[in-house]
Amino acid sequence: MSEQATRAGRRGRAARTEKRRESQTAMGTPYISRGIPVTDFLSDEGAEIIEANADRILEEIGIEFHDDPETLDIWRQAGADVTGTRVRFPKGLPRSLLATAPTRFTQHARNPARNVEIGGNNLVFAPVYGPPFVTDLDEGRRYGTIEDFRNFVKLAYASPHLHHSGGTVCEPVDLPVNKRHFDMVYSHLKYSDKPFMGSVTAPERAEDSVEMARLVFGREFVDANCVMIQLINANSPLVYDATMLGALKVYARANQACIVSPFILAGAMSPVTVAGTLSQVLAEALVGCALTQLLRPGAPVVFGAFVSSISMQSGAPTFGSPEGSLLLNGAAKLARRAGLPFRSGGSFTSSKTPDGQSAQESAQTILATLLSGVNFCLHAAGWLEGGLCSSYEKFVMDADQLGMMHVLAKGIDLSEEAQAMDALHEVGPGGHFLGAAHTQRNFESAFYRSAIADNNSYEQWSADGGLDAAQRANQKWKQMLAAYTPPELDPAIDEALIAFMTRRKSEFPDSNV
């Protein structure tokens, strides 16, 4: 047999094995339940210092609530000191209000097998959120479209290592700003049956998202259960604006989960130190989370923290830094002490291409995400260029890393089969384990098999085209989209969603505001 035929035979067997393995894991696990302990960088004594400083910030400096008289009145009635748009909080008030917030909750998917448990020892991976641009090796960097949006929803659905469909996986800028939320929410409901996120760019768009969820799940079910989770950012430092507050009020009153998440680039939007930034994060998050409980006690809420640093030379955001990992880890401990689920982490990078820098920075952050005890991880796949770009290639590269996190999270298996004493007895001194019965039973599932990495010899790699990781990822996402099969959606529900969107879109003119 020729060398070429031998290589072809090996590739054929590898492809069949890979196809069988993928078919067995296509459903994936609905979320990660960690079998390893949380790593704490912040001591209990250190956390007490941060908490005391956050109390001082809230009592002495306060938080601004802009253009929202209703929220100011809510805080006034709760016992806070309201002067103009500035609210100062008696020591312990926000934390006492969180007594009604659940420590963990279920977000229901339209496929119950995809439900996720948020909180406790669980970790949910969701894709990139918010970029106006998309990029791939074929067409380069460009503005995102609704077709790109649908593609990323399909990729998230097809990946067994992503548990969630996410939200704004890219901005479909080919649609009017004031109407694109309809098509975005519909895409999550139509092309995936994983959990998803609602719109937060205006209160009325949040209301539309809730109504669409009611058409799918039923009004009574939505009122009693969480079927959506959404991102509410503080306008750091120490400000909440009317847009975010309006969306928060809609969702909290509808019993839908809010991730209250300060968005901070340390050195610009917070102090340059980890301790100072953590104090600010805690103050901002506690207040936003507490507000949800004033609106509807028991409404699910997540303590969030998006924190990174900036280059003190250029002012540009930096990712994958040790300071970023310390901030993430410290905020996770503060959230646990507050009795709230925690959102942070992701596959962050400042790189403009899916290259070595992007891999290094993303690996640093996603590993810290797992080890720190994060419960909900947004931006887990596809993030590029500091969050300005959703990358097709990086999406599947990141998803591959998420698969590794699944394995690491299980910890060390100490079952009788895993102890492998029969294999050691069978092989004995000087032998090899390739033909051992234990190896034959376990070889297919023994080690994580990357869908992107090339572990072949140089000669075989060269004969296969000499592709780098990004080029292999380019092939992978195209294969995934070509093989995509949509989940079933009741035709009557689909018709109701389309009718709702058609009616609502006709009620007001297109606008890019």
Side-chain angles (χ1 to χ4, degrees):
M1 182 180 290
S2 70
E3 182 180 349
Q4 183 177 358
T6 301
R7 283 199 300 266
R10 284 199 297 265
R11 289 196 297 271
R13 287 192 297 275
R16 288 191 294 273
T17 300
E18 179 68 14
K19 185 176 182 179
R20 182 170 63 253
R21 185 180 64 85
E22 288 187 352
S23 68
Q24 293 169 346
T25 61
M27 183 66 183
T29 55
Y31 52 90
I32 288 175
S33 291
R34 271 181 292 260
I36 56 176
V38 168
T39 302
D40 271 338
F41 298 152
L42 181 65
S43 67
D44 290 341
E45 295 77 13
E48 289 170 2
I49 292 172
I50 300 300
E51 290 165 346
N53 287 341
D55 286 341
R56 288 189 59 194
I57 292 170
L58 294 176
E59 191 172 16
E60 299 171 12
I61 302 171
I63 304 285
E64 290 274 341
F65 294 86
H66 289 174
D67 304 315
D68 195 331
E70 181 190 23
T71 297
L72 294 172
D73 190 53
I74 289 170
W75 279 119
R76 187 180 294 110
Q77 292 180 38
D81 176 21
V82 180
T83 305
T85 58
R86 182 76 61 92
V87 180
R88 294 177 175 85
F89 304 86
K91 184 177 179 179
L93 174 61
R95 194 176 289 271
S96 69
L97 294 170
L98 293 173
T100 58
T103 57
R104 58 188 291 173
F105 61 92
T106 300
Q107 183 186 354
H108 294 266
R110 68 177 184 88
N111 177 357
R114 308 276 198 185
N115 292 353
V116 294
E117 293 287 332
I118 299 175
N121 207 35
N122 302 324
L123 171 57
V124 174
F125 285 135
V128 62
Y129 183 107
F133 300 103
V134 300
T135 185
D136 63 66
L137 295 187
D138 303 304
E139 298 184 43
R141 185 179 186 268
R142 60 195 185 280
Y143 280 108
T145 65
I146 191 60
E147 181 181 3
D148 291 308
F149 190 99
R150 293 169 185 147
N151 284 342
F152 282 114
V153 170
K154 293 174 182 177
L155 289 173
Y157 171 71
S159 171
H161 308 310
L162 280 154
H163 315 116
H164 205 278
S165 193
T168 309
V169 287
C170 70
E171 281 286 350
V173 299
D174 54 336
L175 300 179
V177 168
N178 66 334
K179 295 181 180 178
R180 65 180 59 156
H181 64 286
F182 293 110
D183 298 86
M184 294 159 73
V185 172
Y186 177 74
S187 294
H188 285 297
L189 291 168
K190 174 74 171 178
Y191 301 109
S192 177
D193 60 5
K194 292 183 179 181
F196 70 101
M197 304 176 75
S199 175
V200 296
T201 52
E204 60 271 18
R205 297 168 199 168
E207 292 279 10
D208 288 330
S209 301
V210 173
E211 284 302 316
M212 292 177 73
R214 287 168 176 158
L215 290 172
V216 174
F217 293 91
R219 183 171 295 272
E220 291 183 3
F221 188 88
V222 171
D223 186 63
N225 298 277
C226 174
V227 302
M228 284 189 295
I229 191 168
Q230 21 284 323
L231 180 61
I232 306 295
N233 285 130
N235 192 356
S236 302
L238 305 176
V239 173
Y240 279 90
D241 63 41
T243 298
M244 291 287 97
L245 289 170
L248 179 146
K249 288 186 285 187
V250 168
Y251 287 117
R253 285 168 171 155
N255 199 32
Q256 301 308 299
C258 293
I259 303 170
V260 180
S261 189
F263 181 99
I264 291 177
L265 297 176
M269 301 157 71
S270 73
V272 295
T273 61
V274 171
T277 296
L278 284 174
S279 299
Q280 180 184 318
V281 166
L282 181 58
E284 293 176 348
L286 284 178
V287 165
C289 291
L291 178 58
T292 68
Q293 301 307 295
L294 287 170
L295 295 162
R296 180 163 174 165
V301 64
V302 176
F303 179 129
F306 179 102
V307 187
S308 193
S309 55
I310 63 168
S311 166
M312 301 310 290
Q313 287 71 45
S314 68
T318 58
F319 297 96
S321 67
E323 293 82 10
S325 294
L326 291 169
L327 285 162
L328 186 161
N329 186 275
K333 184 182 182 84
L334 296 170
R336 287 192 294 275
R337 288 170 62 91
L340 295 173
F342 180 60
R343 170 260 162 158
S344 193
S347 296
F348 298 134
T349 182
S350 299
S351 182
K352 315 309 179 284
T353 64
D355 58 3
Q357 178 186 341
S358 76
Q360 175 182 323
E361 292 175 347
S362 294
Q364 287 289 326
T365 313
I366 204 64
L367 184 60
T369 298
L370 175 68
L371 297 179
S372 298
V374 171
N375 300 120
F376 188 89
C377 174
L378 198 56
H379 311 302
W383 169 291
L384 200 65
E385 198 187 333
L388 289 176
C389 235
S390 294
S391 164
Y392 281 84
E393 285 79 25
K394 190 162 181 293
F395 193 100
V396 295
M397 293 168 71
D398 290 337
D400 192 50
Q401 288 286 314
L402 301 184
M404 298 182 191
M405 297 302 103
H406 281 71
V407 176
L408 183 59
K410 292 178 182 178
I412 298 174
D413 182 1
L414 294 174
S415 66
E416 185 174 350
E417 179 73 359
Q419 292 176 48
M421 292 303 296
D422 59 326
L424 288 159
H425 278 290
E426 178 185 345
V427 173
H432 70 77
F433 290 83
L434 292 176
H438 182 273
T439 303
Q440 294 300 307
R441 291 196 305 271
N442 293 284
F443 78 95
E444 284 195 288
S445 59
F447 306 120
Y448 180 77
R449 299 185 189 182
S450 170
I452 302 299
D454 183 284
N455 300 305
N456 296 317
S457 67
Y458 177 87
E459 290 76 15
Q460 186 172 335
W461 169 78
S462 180
D464 289 340
L467 304 180
D468 63 21
Q471 291 169 323
R472 294 191 295 273
N474 179 268
Q475 293 179 342
K476 181 66 177 176
W477 69 256
K478 292 174 182 175
Q479 292 167 0
M480 292 172 70
L481 290 181
Y484 167 81
T485 301
E488 291 185 7
L489 177 63
D490 186 327
I493 291 176
D494 197 14
E495 290 175 8
L497 287 169
I498 293 171
F500 173 79
M501 293 190 294
T502 301
R503 176 178 62 80
R504 285 287 291 126
K505 288 180 180 181
S506 70
E507 292 176 354
F508 48 93
D510 293 355
S511 170
N512 281 321
V513 178

